[in-house]
């Protein structure tokens, strides 16, 4: 069985099914969405059982598409793609369980969620640049509608801004793809071959331009400071499920591309710009944390911590690209960066869920209008405290092993940058403890005293995320053994 | 032995989880804490008989870093101390919280803290040490924040966590430098050369200063007194704050030379300043907090001047005395519902038994012979005799200890006031539990003086130093301190006022760290909004250019680009359709098209 194709096509097929279902079957979209996601998850689990951790790119499935241009339907996995796909189905399962927009799930919501899921999985699994690019752009369309249809008051503006900004980012990516195609001999869009042959090896002027084209595109998506301004706007206006998927999954497409394309296909050019990229990463770490510290809106605060957390990933990848790094530190940096993507996905998704739950109850996200919420909301408060501490990098929760590995790896080539980046964990501690103190401790204002605690539906959405970030924190090897960057990291070193 | 290692951590951890749902949380917690002390003491006995054990699992394979526990003399000693202190304090807490509606939460928190603390002292390398080090920080913050009625509880907890986490950045950096130099994080090994070595030394020292409340980071400890008194007895006397001293002792090989010397100086300065701060406080718990900082400073001095055995002896002796003082203070607090010295006036007369325990522990901490701290501090004084300034600091701190502890004792025995608490039946039973638990540290204060020799053997150290000169001088200092209580009015008023406010250390930390961070954050937030507006402006300019182009287009050369214009118009029309709600049909068409392609591709994939 072509399990990877099943993982991608079942949600796509589900999306089509939801659309053509008769309008009067009001309750049908939800079970279809659940079933499609579960089947997709089964296909990925089947892939895990067939996966060989000692090898790199594997289980490649290929079907002819446009032979004259050597475009083909090519899917494949390595450790990074596999864990990101698993993260994707977990987050989609949670968001579908909780729902987007009115309940029961509308046909539009079901179709858009499944379309987004299929395109995200296709992006992570694509081994053909055309498929890669198409999937990238389809995610933009689907997310645009999720924000524009069910977001808050300023949703139109935020959705358009998100769409245009990232679309602008995708154009240089397309240019880069074409340049790589033209540089390859014979011309191909096969990513595995491009990675093996390095058509722009040596890093001349052309390689630099191609590198920068890809970098700008992925930097906007990640987002790296100063390309991040679409993020807070999109998050603040997006519906809860939209924020969860945007932060949890879509941001990972930027850093995934940075590893897959910039690091693996253009290692020589990356080596030249490694320090600059690392500096931007550290800037993101500190800038994101400090600006988050100044926020009073809980959702904006979480959005800026995403800039901070994704900054660690960028620093790690940049260090791995530097020419002076030792092989051990290189593996550590990339292992840590990929684990950080997973950890951030789980933890920030939890945070955005909680921010949404709070807004639904208290009708505000302003921290200074909340207070003493541990009293009416003991369960929600406990999960919030756990997620806050996870997000500030507390040991025994998933982000700690990720950040520690990034620090250990980066320190090998850029000790000063690593030392500065460590300060990020102090600033995030400050901002999360302040948020915890303001929203959950102290006196409870009268109007907040009778708020209802977590509902079953909310608990179901949160449970897998919390369980996973605790388990990965206690025993990170569950993910690290799959990621195993050592087996697919090739190129300069 | 390996099983015992994991049991020492697992028993309190599982206890913390079950206490939340058990029918008799108090009894169960006390039982669990006592049960958790068994493997801990067994570990100490094993270590004393030469047993060594280690058990680890691979944790970060790419770095070949493993996560595990191990037993040697130092970890066995610390584990037993933590286990016993935990058993005593949790038993006491079962009585203290007997009538508290949220007692499960408090008891579970204490047990969770004990698990983290056991992990910290039994950690087999710096990796698990860092993990448990941070977990101890969180567990303690949670306990400090326990009270929901005290407005100082939440800020106190936040300050405690943030101050120690700031210092923990040092631990992270030290570990990074160590890994870069040795490729491992094991405790053995020497300090690397050059900058890496400096980072290891400064980093470890900073982390230890944070946890052990050394100047100028001592203020969090005072704020932490907002936590329930049993919490203070466990965390802020015998266990958590001792972690800093443990870290330095554990790293003594890495820190030989200037880092240890620097630790000695930090300790000496803190010992004196914290004694002054303790003397100026008007709240019994804050007196004890200052005293704790001061004595941890003495342990730093002892480690620098006399080595691990000297420091550990003082750690153990001080733990017994200070735990007893806090537990007694908790009993008085129960009676008077306050810990201010004014409010406690005469409380000792109401409860002579507790007062006797308080006095005995106070005399021990004041280094009155033959009680435990007398012996341990004597060794510190003797070890530092050759270094004039350190020695002077030890003597001043000794005099200070006597003064700041006799003062509250006199107040407790002062003229009684009529604010008496009622004593119901349940409270009496709770009181029995509390008094019983208080007996243990009292006995320890009486007996532990003899522990120095065995302890030095256990740690394989040289015989503990002692000298007649230092004995005479420190006895003089203690006597001066005892008499000096009367001297407090003679201290300059401005100095007392400054000491009451932690010698402005809070303001100092705010000025150098908190306020700059906040200002920077606000400034960058403004920059960010500007950046955002700039991006929007670029988009708007683009839109304007497009409009102008359209006007040019329509006005003059419309025939040439007619097709393009119509395309724009069509796109606009379609987007209007999108906004009117009929976008759905469009989406459906797109979906069906995509689906057809996908099916074709899938078919080819299956067939090929």
């Amino acid at each position: 069985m072509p399990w990877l194709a099943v993982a991608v096509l079942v949600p796509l097929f589900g999306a089509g099914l939801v659309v053509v279902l008769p309008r009067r079957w009001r309750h049908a979209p939800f079970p279809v969405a659940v079933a499609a996601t579960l089947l997709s998850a089964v296909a990925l689990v089947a892939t895990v059982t067939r996966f060989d951790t000692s090898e790199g790119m594997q289980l490649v499935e290929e079907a002819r598409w446009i032979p004259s241009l050597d475009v083909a339907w090519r899917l494949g996995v390595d450790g990074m793609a596999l864990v990101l796909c698993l993260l994707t189905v977990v987050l989609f399962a949670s968001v579908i369980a909780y729902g987007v927009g009115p309940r029961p799930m509308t046909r539009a919501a079901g179709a858009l969620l499944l379309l987004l899921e299929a395109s995200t999985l296709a992006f992570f699994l694509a081994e053909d640049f055309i498929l890669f690019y198409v999937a990238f752009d389809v995610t933009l369309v689907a997310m645009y509608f999720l924000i524009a249809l069910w977001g808050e008051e300023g949703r139109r503006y935020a959705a358009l801004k998100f769409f245009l900004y990232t679309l602008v980012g995708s154009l240089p990516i397309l240019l880069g793809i074409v340049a790589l195609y033209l540089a390859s001999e014979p011309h191909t869009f096969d990513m595995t071959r491009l990675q093996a042959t390095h058509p722009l090896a040596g890093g001349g002027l052309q390689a630099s331009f191609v590198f920068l084209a890809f970098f700008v595109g992925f930097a906007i998506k990640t987002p790296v400071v100063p390309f991040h301004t679409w993020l807070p706007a999109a998050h603040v206006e997006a519906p809860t499920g939209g924020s969860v998927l945007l932060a949890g999954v879509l941001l990972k497409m930027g850093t995934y591309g940075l590893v897959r394309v910039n690091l693996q296909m253009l290692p020589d050019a990356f080596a030249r710009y490694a320090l600059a990229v690392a500096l931007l990463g550290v800037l993101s770490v500190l800038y994101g944390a400090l600006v988050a510290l100044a926020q009073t809106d809980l959702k904006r605060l979480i959005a800026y911590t995403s800039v901070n957390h994704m900054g660690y990933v960028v620093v790690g990848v940049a260090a791995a690209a530097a020419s002076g790094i030792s092989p051990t530190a290189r593996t550590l940096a990339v292992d840590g960066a990929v684990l950080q993507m997973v950890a951030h996905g789980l933890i920030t998704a939890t945070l955005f869920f909680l921010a949404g739950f709070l807004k639904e109850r208290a009708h505000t996200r302003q921290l200074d209008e909340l207070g003493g919420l541990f009293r009416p909301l003991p369960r929600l408060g406990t999960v919030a405290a756990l997620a806050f501490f996870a997000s500030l990098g507390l040991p025994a929760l998933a982000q700690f092993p990720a950040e520690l590995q990034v620090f250990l790896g980066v320190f090998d080539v850029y000790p000063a940058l690593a030392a500065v980046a460590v300060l990020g964990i102090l600033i995030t501690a400050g901002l999360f403890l302040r948020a915890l103190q303001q929203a959950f401790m102290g006196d409870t204002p009268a109007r907040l005293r009778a708020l209802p605690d977590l509902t079953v539906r909310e608990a179901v959405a949160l449970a897998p995320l919390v369980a996973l970030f605790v388990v990965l924190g206690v025993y990170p090897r569950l993910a690290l053994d799959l990621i195993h960057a050592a087996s697919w990291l090739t190129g300069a070193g | 032995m390996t099983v015992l290692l994991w049991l020492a951590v697992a028993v309190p951890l599982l206890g913390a989880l079950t206490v939340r749902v058990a029918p008799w949380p108090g009894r169960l917690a006390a039982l669990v804490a006592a049960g958790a002390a068994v493997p801990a003491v067994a570990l100490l006995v094993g270590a004393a008989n030469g047993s060594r054990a280690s058990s680890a699992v691979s944790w970060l394979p790419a770095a070949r870093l493993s996560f595990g526990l191990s037993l040697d003399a130092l970890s066995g000693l610390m584990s037993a101390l933590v286990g016993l202190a935990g058993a005593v304090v949790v038993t006491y807490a079962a009585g203290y919280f007997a009538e508290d509606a949220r007692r499960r939460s408090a008891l579970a928190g204490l047990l969770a803290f004990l698990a983290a603390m056991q992990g910290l002292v039994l950690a087999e390398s710096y990796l698990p040490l860092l993990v448990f080090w941070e977990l101890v920080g969180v567990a303690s913050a949670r306990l400090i924040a326990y009270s929901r009625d005290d407005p100082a509880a939440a800020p106190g907890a936040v300050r405690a966590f943030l101050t120690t986490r700031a210092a923990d950045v040092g631990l992270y950096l030290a570990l990074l430098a160590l890994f870069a130099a040795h490729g491992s994080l094991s405790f053995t090994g020497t300090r690397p050369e050059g900058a890496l070595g400096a980072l290891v030394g400064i980093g470890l020292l900073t982390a230890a200063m944070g946890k052990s409340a050394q100047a100028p980071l001592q203020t969090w400890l005072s704020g932490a007194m907002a936590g329930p008194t049993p919490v203070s007895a466990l965390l802020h006397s015998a266990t958590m704050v001792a972690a800093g001293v443990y870290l330095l002792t554990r790293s003594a090989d890495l820190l030989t030379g200037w880092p240890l010397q620097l630790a000695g100086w930090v300790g000496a300065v803190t010992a004196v300043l914290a004694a002054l701060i303790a003397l100026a406080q008007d709240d019994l718990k804050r007196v004890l907090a200052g005293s704790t900082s001061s004595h941890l400073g003495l342990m730093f001095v002892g480690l620098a001047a006399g080595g691990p055995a000297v420091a550990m002896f003082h750690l153990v002796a001080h733990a017994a005395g200070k735990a007893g003082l806090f537990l007694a203070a908790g009993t008085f607090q129960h009676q008077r519902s306050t810990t201010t010295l004014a409010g406690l006036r005469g409380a000792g007369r109401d409860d002579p038994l507790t007062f006797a325990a308080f006095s005995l522990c106070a005399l021990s901490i004041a280094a009155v012979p033959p009680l435990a701290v007398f012996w341990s501090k004597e060794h510190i004084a003797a070890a530092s005799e050759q270094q004039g300034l350190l020695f002077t600091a030890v003597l001043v701190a000794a005099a200070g200890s006597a003064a700041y502890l006799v003062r509250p004792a006199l107040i407790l025995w002062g003229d009684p006031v009529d604010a008496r608490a009622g004593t119901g039946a349940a409270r009496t039973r709770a009181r029995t539990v509390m008094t019983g638990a208080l007996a243990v540290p009292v006995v320890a204060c009486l007996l532990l003086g003899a522990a120095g020799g065995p302890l030095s053997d256990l740690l394989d150290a040289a015989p503990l130093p002692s000298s007649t000169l230092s004995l005479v001088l420190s006895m003089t200092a203690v006597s001066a301190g005892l008499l000096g209580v009367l001297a407090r009015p003679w201290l300059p008023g401005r100095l007392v006022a400054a000491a009451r406010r932690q010698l402005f250390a809070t303001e100092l930390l705010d000025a150098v760290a908190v306020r700059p961070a906040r200002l920077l954050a606000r400034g960058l937030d403004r920059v960010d909004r500007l950046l955002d507006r700039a991006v929007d402006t670029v988009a708007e300019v683009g839109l304007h250019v497009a409009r102008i182009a359209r006007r040019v287009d329509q006005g003059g050369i419309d025939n040439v680009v007619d097709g393009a214009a119509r395309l724009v118009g069509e796109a606009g029309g379609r987007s209007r359709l999108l906004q009117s709600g009929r976008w759905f049909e469009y989406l459906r068409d797109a979906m069906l098209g995509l689906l057809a392609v996908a099916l074709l591709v899938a078919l080819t994939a299956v067939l090929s």
Side-chain angles (χ1 to χ4, degrees):
Chain A
M1 278 288 268
W3 287 114
L4 301 180
V6 171
V8 173
L9 294 177
V10 165
L12 192 63
F13 183 75
L17 186 65
V18 169
V19 172
V20 297
L21 281 176
R23 190 182 287 272
R24 59 179 192 285
W25 294 3
R26 286 183 61 240
H27 292 276
F30 179 69
V32 171
V34 171
T37 300
L38 285 183
L39 277 176
S40 189
V42 168
L44 286 172
V45 170
T47 308
V48 171
T49 60
R50 299 192 309 158
F51 188 77
D52 181 353
T53 52
S54 62
E55 284 197 35
M57 182 53 61
Q58 54 190 289
L59 304 175
V60 175
E61 298 165 8
E62 193 165 333
R64 281 150 46 97
W65 189 356
I66 313 173
S68 56
L69 292 175
D70 198 24
V71 175
W73 169 272
R74 297 187 180 98
L75 299 180
V77 276
D78 60 5
M80 175 172 60
L82 187 56
V83 291
L84 289 178
C85 284
L86 292 169
L87 172 73
T88 304
V89 288
V90 169
L91 287 190
F92 272 93
S94 272
V95 169
I96 288 171
Y98 177 67
V100 172
R103 287 183 193 126
M105 185 179 278
T106 58
R107 296 191 304 156
L112 283 171
L113 283 172
L114 287 176
L115 178 66
L116 185 60
E117 180 176 2
S119 52
T120 309
L121 290 170
F123 177 84
F124 289 136
L125 294 171
E127 277 304 302
D128 184 279
F129 256 136
I130 296 299
L131 184 61
F132 178 89
Y133 184 74
V134 169
F136 186 90
D137 275 0
V138 174
T139 60
L140 296 188
V141 177
M143 183 48 84
Y144 169 82
F145 282 114
L146 281 178
I147 299 175
L149 288 174
W150 297 291
E152 314 259 332
E153 298 80 32
R155 56 184 179 267
R156 287 272 154 78
Y157 162 77
L160 195 64
K161 184 168 184 168
F162 157 79
F163 184 79
L164 288 182
Y165 209 145
T166 12
L167 192 70
V168 165
S170 85
L171 296 179
I173 293 179
L174 184 60
L175 283 181
I177 290 174
V178 172
L180 273 181
Y181 172 78
L182 294 176
S184 61
E185 199 54 54
H187 296 338
T188 182
F189 286 105
D190 184 340
M191 293 167 75
T192 319
R193 271 226 332 266
L194 287 171
Q195 188 186 320
T197 54
H198 290 312
L200 289 173
L205 190 62
Q206 199 192 353
S208 292
F209 275 122
V210 174
F211 173 85
L212 285 178
F214 278 115
F215 177 74
V216 168
F218 294 136
I220 289 174
K221 189 80 189 174
T222 299
V224 177
V225 174
F227 305 113
H228 65 282
T229 49
W230 62 269
L231 182 84
H235 271 307
V236 168
E237 302 300 339
T240 299
S243 283
V244 167
L245 294 175
L246 184 58
V249 187
L250 296 200
L251 300 191
K252 310 301 172 293
M253 297 167 76
T255 42
Y256 173 86
L258 200 62
V259 176
R260 172 66 78 236
V261 181
N262 293 58
L263 181 62
Q264 295 194 274
M265 296 182 195
L266 302 159
D268 300 329
F270 205 157
R272 188 185 307 161
Y273 296 106
L275 180 59
V277 175
L279 278 170
L280 277 183
V282 172
L283 179 68
S284 296
V285 165
L286 293 183
Y287 184 94
L290 281 168
V291 178
L293 186 62
Q295 301 308 313
T296 53
D297 179 310
L298 183 57
K299 238 179 156 183
R300 267 183 91 84
L301 179 148
I302 301 168
Y304 278 106
T305 63
S306 285
V307 176
N308 158 275
H309 292 322
M310 296 304 283
Y312 292 118
V313 181
V314 174
V315 183
V317 176
S323 49
I325 197 167
S326 74
T328 309
R330 196 156 181 269
T331 318
L332 263 176
V334 176
D335 264 354
V338 177
L339 185 60
Q340 171 78 350
M341 292 188 218
V342 177
H344 173 261
L346 295 167
I347 294 164
T348 306
T350 311
L351 291 174
F352 275 121
F353 265 132
L354 291 167
F357 299 167
L358 276 181
K359 162 94 197 219
E360 249 176 48
R361 289 167 166 75
H363 305 292
T364 179
R365 290 185 316 244
Q366 290 298 320
L367 286 169
D368 46 11
E369 292 170 17
L370 300 169
L373 289 177
F374 271 128
R375 252 174 284 236
L377 309 172
R379 290 199 194 97
L380 195 149
T382 306
V383 178
L386 200 61
F388 281 11
F389 278 110
S391 191
L392 64 84
L394 186 76
L397 300 168
Q399 222 159 260
F400 171 78
E403 287 172 5
L404 184 65
Q405 289 191 100
V406 169
F407 292 148
L408 289 172
V410 173
F411 195 87
D412 190 68
V413 270
Y414 303 130
L417 286 186
V420 174
V422 171
L423 284 181
I425 65 166
L426 178 59
I427 308 172
T428 44
L431 69 97
F432 276 119
L433 278 220
R434 187 194 57 132
L436 196 66
Q437 188 187 342
Q438 280 193 331
F440 289 94
M441 292 150 81
D443 283 330
T444 320
R447 64 187 179 82
L448 300 178
R449 283 203 188 125
L451 297 184
D453 208 349
L454 281 184
T455 64
V456 174
R457 182 191 287 272
E458 290 165 347
V460 167
L462 287 179
L465 310 181
V466 175
L468 278 171
F469 76 65
V470 172
V471 167
L472 287 182
V474 173
Y475 193 63
R477 283 195 62 179
L478 276 184
L480 288 174
D481 284 351
L482 278 183
I483 296 168
H484 206 257
S487 63
W488 48 266
L489 210 54
T490 53
Chain B
M1 278 296 156
T2 317
V3 179
L4 288 178
L5 281 174
W6 291 105
L7 275 182
V9 179
V11 171
L13 183 64
L14 294 177
L17 298 175
T18 43
V19 159
R20 288 196 156 274
V21 290
W24 302 289
R27 275 178 225 177
L28 180 73
L31 202 66
V32 168
V38 173
V41 171
L43 285 173
L44 174 60
V45 173
N49 290 321
S51 283
R52 296 291 180 268
S54 184
S55 161
V57 291
S58 163
W59 207 65
L60 297 180
R64 286 193 208 82
L65 290 178
S66 55
F67 187 95
L69 306 177
S70 78
L71 173 67
D72 65 0
L74 182 59
S75 57
L77 173 68
M78 286 300 292
S79 176
L81 172 69
V82 171
L84 290 173
V88 171
V89 173
V90 174
T91 306
Y92 176 92
Y96 183 91
F97 290 114
E99 292 181 355
D100 191 319
R102 291 170 58 232
R103 62 186 184 281
R104 288 168 199 277
S105 164
L107 294 167
L110 282 169
L111 290 173
F113 169 84
L114 279 176
M117 192 66 206
Q118 287 286 6
L120 194 160
V121 300
L122 292 171
E124 121 331 315
S125 73
Y126 281 110
L127 175 67
L129 183 113
L130 172 64
V131 168
F132 287 116
W133 182 271
E134 297 251 63
L135 291 179
V136 160
V138 173
S140 75
R142 181 178 173 276
L143 286 168
I144 297 167
Y146 172 77
S147 166
R148 285 177 181 175
D149 304 321
D150 184 351
V158 168
R159 178 165 279 272
F161 184 78
L162 289 185
T163 312
T164 50
R165 180 132 172 134
D168 293 355
V169 169
L171 188 53
Y172 275 88
L173 292 179
L175 263 60
L176 294 183
L178 207 56
F179 185 80
H182 297 328
S184 87
L185 292 177
S186 84
F187 289 137
T188 54
T190 52
R191 190 166 73 249
E193 298 282 308
L196 288 184
L199 207 53
V200 170
I202 301 274
L204 290 176
L205 178 58
T206 310
M209 284 169 66
K211 273 280 197 272
S212 288
Q214 297 295 291
L217 303 177
Q218 86 282 6
T219 59
W220 71 263
L221 188 57
S222 185
M225 293 302 126
T229 307
V231 170
S232 307
L234 183 59
L235 278 61
H236 307 133
S237 64
T239 55
M240 175 190 173
V241 290
V245 179
Y246 169 77
L247 176 69
L248 293 185
T249 311
R250 175 56 79 193
S251 315
D253 290 345
L254 279 171
L255 298 175
T256 43
W258 63 264
L260 266 190
Q261 201 55 42
L262 191 57
W265 285 110
V266 167
V269 169
T270 307
V272 173
L273 294 186
L276 180 64
I277 289 170
L279 199 55
Q281 300 303 314
D282 293 323
D283 183 291
L284 178 55
K285 286 182 76 180
R286 286 174 181 263
V287 171
L288 298 180
S291 160
T292 300
S293 279
S294 173
H295 278 268
L296 290 162
L298 289 178
M299 291 171 214
F300 277 39
V301 174
L303 181 66
V310 173
M312 293 316 285
F313 184 26
H314 193 57
L315 193 156
V316 173
H318 168 261
K322 193 53 66 65
L325 284 173
F326 269 114
L327 294 184
T331 305
F332 294 136
Q333 181 190 8
H334 242 202
Q335 292 157 3
R336 294 290 178 87
S337 303
T338 179
T339 53
T340 59
L341 287 174
L344 289 177
R345 182 170 289 279
R349 278 179 203 251
D350 298 344
D351 188 352
L353 198 58
T354 306
F355 181 74
F358 182 90
S359 306
L360 190 106
C361 292
L363 290 176
S364 174
I365 298 290
V368 172
L371 300 169
V373 172
F374 164 72
W375 302 99
S376 62
K377 190 154 76 186
E378 180 46 33
H379 295 310
I380 296 176
S384 61
E385 202 180 87
Q386 302 303 322
Q387 306 182 44
L389 282 172
L390 284 188
F391 186 53
T392 313
V394 173
L395 294 181
V396 172
S401 294
Y404 61 64
L405 282 174
V406 170
R407 192 177 134 242
L410 291 179
I411 294 175
L412 283 168
W413 197 252
D415 289 328
V417 288
D418 48 14
R420 297 187 185 207
T423 44
R427 176 153 292 189
T428 314
R429 196 201 291 152
R431 182 77 55 74
T432 317
V433 173
M434 289 158 72
T435 313
L438 185 51
V440 178
V442 169
V443 172
C445 282
L446 289 169
L447 298 181
L448 273 177
L455 205 142
S456 150
D457 291 344
L458 175 75
L459 294 174
D460 229 358
L464 297 171
S466 53
S467 85
T468 321
L469 174 69
S470 77
L471 184 65
V472 171
L473 283 179
S474 57
M475 285 308 295
T476 315
V478 170
S479 317
L482 290 173
L483 299 172
V485 181
L486 305 168
R488 189 189 168 221
W490 300 346
L491 285 173
R494 212 176 277 172
L495 184 65
V496 173
R500 197 171 293 145
R501 303 184 55 187
Q502 300 287 331
L503 298 171
F504 302 110
T506 314
E507 286 80 357
L508 176 75
L509 292 181
D510 280 350
V512 301
V514 179
R515 216 167 314 143
R518 246 184 230 152
L519 279 178
L520 191 59
R522 233 170 276 153
L524 286 180
D525 185 46
R526 220 164 287 156
V527 169
D528 202 65
R529 285 171 203 277
L530 284 178
L531 185 64
D532 189 34
R533 211 170 299 152
V535 171
D536 283 2
T537 311
V538 170
E540 276 162 23
V541 168
L543 211 61
H544 272 296
V545 171
R547 281 199 196 116
I548 292 167
R550 194 178 68 177
R551 218 167 287 158
V552 171
D553 190 55
Q554 288 172 341
I557 40 176
D558 55 344
N559 285 334
V560 185
V561 269
D562 196 26
R566 201 183 306 141
L567 209 66
V568 169
E570 269 177 23
R574 196 168 277 189
S575 68
R576 214 174 303 127
L577 281 185
L578 282 185
Q579 309 237 335
S580 70
R582 284 167 63 193
W583 64 274
F584 189 64
E585 289 161 11
Y586 166 71
L587 180 69
R588 180 168 65 188
D589 297 342
M591 289 298 317
L592 288 173
L594 260 175
L595 198 69
V597 174
L599 277 175
L600 268 179
V601 173
L603 268 178
T604 43
V606 175
L607 294 176
S608 61

